[in-house]
Structure formats: C-alpha cells, structure tokens
Amino acid sequence: MIEQTLVLIKPDGLKKSLTGNILTRLSETRLEIAGAKVVKVTRELAEKHYAHLKDKPFFEELIKYIMGELHERKKVMALVYHGEDAIKKVRQLCGETNPEKAAPDTIRGQYGRITTSGVYENVVHASANREEAEREIKLWFSPEELVYHIYPVKEIVIEKVKKLIWV
Ligand code: IDP
Ligand code: MG
C-alpha cells in the first residue's frame, strides 16, 4: 500500500546539528521525499498538531518544545515521505517515544534524551498510523508543496490574496 507520512526534525535535532544524520538514516527506508520545508511553529500549529495530548501533564512543556522555546531554534524541518508502507517503515526507524526505551540503533535511541525536567527530547516526530498521517500532512503542507498527491485535491480560484513576491 502506497502511503505518505509526516516527519518533523524537532528543534533539539536542529540544535544538535543532526539534520544530515537523520536524513541519512531516513534514506535507509528507500522511501521518496514528496515535500520538505523549514517551518516556524506557531502556538496554534503546535496545539493542533498535539491536540490529542492536551490533557497530559507534559502538554505545556511539549508545546514549548515543538515551538523551539527550549532550544533557541524557533523552527522545525517538516518532511513528507512517500512509498510502500511508509508509515510503519519510518516509525520503526524512529523507535519508541521514550528515547531511553528506544532501541539503540533507532534515531530516537541514537540521539534522544530525557531532560531533567522530564521532557522526552526525541529529535523526530513520525505519524503513528494512516489517520494521523492524513491529518498531519494536511495540517503541515498544502497540496502545492507536495510532488505526489495521495489525498484528493481540487482547484479553486482565489482573488485578492496578499502575498510576498521578489522585488
Ligand atoms: P510519538 O511522538 O512517539 O507518537 P506521542 O505519544 O504522540 O508519541 O507523544 C508526542 C510527544 O510528546 C513525544 O514524541 C514526546 O516528545 C512527548 N511525550 C510523550 N509522552 C511523554 C511523557 O510521558 N513524558 C514526556 N514527554 C512525552
Ligand atoms: Mg504521536
């Protein structure tokens, strides 16, 4: 089954200069990158992304973490990987949520840590299942930012849209 999955290189991954290493590990999956960009994460985006965790005691710290407030890097790298069984392949490579429990040869096992204040700094996010992947890809990317579409799209005409262009 051809799937797409969202990967985020979290602010700790960027601060630790792990982007290249993480992309190299992800290339082991032989999946294709369908989209990639650097995103400044607003509180609104962070809260939507982690909406399912809003009742957890670590929610506020998690929002600060993904917004980059713990790492002086107010951005994440967002990627969509595309191909056969993409969700499971990427998730397995990332490893368990708790970086101390993640197998040592997974990305989280290699590079993650738990801070003294209890945040799981696990350097990457990966969609957990098909429903989550669809919701997250549509939250982080517009169809125009992806080279392959597995979810239906439609064309609309927008007039009088304010945008930046090169002068
Ligand atoms: P996942 O990232 O493996 O899918 P989720 O349960 O969706 O795990 O949690 C989202 C993120 O919240 C995790 O990646 C981790 O950074 C953080 N997190 C999850 N559970 C805990 C916890 O028990 N303590 C501290 N942080 C946690
Ligand atoms: Mg999750």
Side-chain angles (χ1 to χ4, degrees):
M1 179 81 167
I2 297 292
E3 297 172 339
Q4 290 186 346
T5 189
L6 180 82
V7 173
L8 302 176
I9 302 180
K10 297 182 179 181
D12 52 325
L14 297 180
K15 187 169 183 186
K16 290 174 172 170
S17 291
L18 289 172
T19 309
N21 305 54
I22 292 169
L23 294 178
T24 301
R25 291 297 324 262
L26 285 162
S27 69
E28 287 170 23
T29 62
R30 300 281 169 238
L31 296 166
E32 280 187 64
I33 296 175
K37 60 180 176 179
V38 175
V39 184
K40 187 171 181 338
V41 182
T42 60
R43 178 165 279 269
E44 190 192 353
L45 176 58
E47 287 183 354
K48 278 188 185 160
H49 179 73
Y50 282 131
H52 60 296
L53 298 173
K54 71 172 182 301
D55 297 329
K56 300 282 184 190
F58 56 83
F59 183 69
E60 185 51 34
E61 279 300 292
L62 179 60
I63 295 303
K64 283 193 197 146
Y65 168 33
I66 201 70
M67 289 177 72
E69 291 189 358
L70 311 178
H71 297 93
E72 309 101 47
R73 293 282 190 289
K74 298 214 166 151
K75 61 192 177 192
V76 303
M77 184 159 188
L79 301 122
V80 172
Y81 279 84
H82 172 105
E84 193 69 31
D85 290 330
I87 297 166
K88 193 178 79 197
K89 282 179 183 161
V90 171
R91 205 52 202 186
Q92 275 178 356
L93 184 67
C94 289
E96 280 193 43
T97 305
N98 179 338
E100 306 275 298
K101 290 196 181 151
D105 61 345
T106 60
I107 295 171
R108 288 169 165 180
Q110 266 186 304
Y111 302 122
R113 66 165 192 159
I114 302 180
T115 65
T116 44
S117 55
V119 180
Y120 290 2
E121 287 189 359
N122 51 16
V123 302
V124 281
H125 165 83
S127 309
N129 53 56
R130 274 204 206 133
E131 253 184 3
E132 198 174 284
E134 179 171 355
R135 189 185 79 82
E136 292 177 351
I137 288 166
K138 290 178 176 176
L139 178 64
W140 287 81
F141 285 87
S142 69
E144 285 176 338
E145 293 172 318
L146 299 177
V147 293
Y148 306 119
H149 298 147
I150 65 165
Y151 310 117
V153 294
K154 66 175 181 184
E155 231 175 27
I156 58 165
V157 177
I158 302 175
E159 280 170 48
K160 291 199 175 162
V161 174
K162 218 191 224 179
K163 63 187 265 184
L164 291 183
I165 58 163
W166 304 116
V167 291

